[in-house]
Amino acid sequence: MKITNDSDETIRLVNAKSSVAKHTEIHRMFMRDSKMAMRKIDALEIAPKETVELKQHSYHLMFMGIKDAFEPGQVIKVTLIADNGKEFDTLLTVMPMNKH
Ligand SMILES: [Cu+2]
């Protein structure tokens, strides 16, 4: 998932919500004692005209308290919320799980 800021101002995403889960958070993976860990971030900053990619081992959306299991191909609506109260609706398509 890529987020592009095509406005002239920095956007700070501080929250996310979706009807599919009780809580949706913006997380970031990082290394701690040579292990991967993750943490909720306070804000995902996107400078004007910049693109941030949410992907494995980096920033991601975390759905907690999922009501129904996700099916590949299912479209999920997620609303991203900026610190100024602006909301951005996004539609995400569920991809099959990556098997390593
Ligand atoms: Cu997470």
Side-chain angles (χ1 to χ4, degrees), residues 24-60:
T24 305
E25 296 182 349
I26 305 169
H27 279 199
R28 171 174 210 169
M29 301 279 276
F30 62 98
M31 298 295 284
R32 184 169 56 200
D33 302 332
S34 72
K35 278 190 190 131
M36 294 298 285
M38 65 181 172
R39 176 182 291 154
K40 182 179 191 287
I41 58 171
D42 294 330
L44 177 57
E45 269 200 20
I46 312 167
K49 314 300 177 197
E50 290 281 297
T51 296
V52 170
E53 190 174 5
L54 277 65
K55 58 185 176 187
Q56 266 190 330
H57 309 314
S58 177
Y59 295 114
H60 57 276

Side-chain angles (χ1 to χ4, degrees), residues 76-95:
I76 293 172
K77 185 179 157 193
V78 178
T79 303
L80 302 172
I81 305 160
D83 60 348
N84 62 3
K86 253 194 187 172
E87 298 194 352
F88 304 92
D89 286 340
T90 60
L91 292 175
L92 307 177
T93 304
V94 176
M95 306 289 279

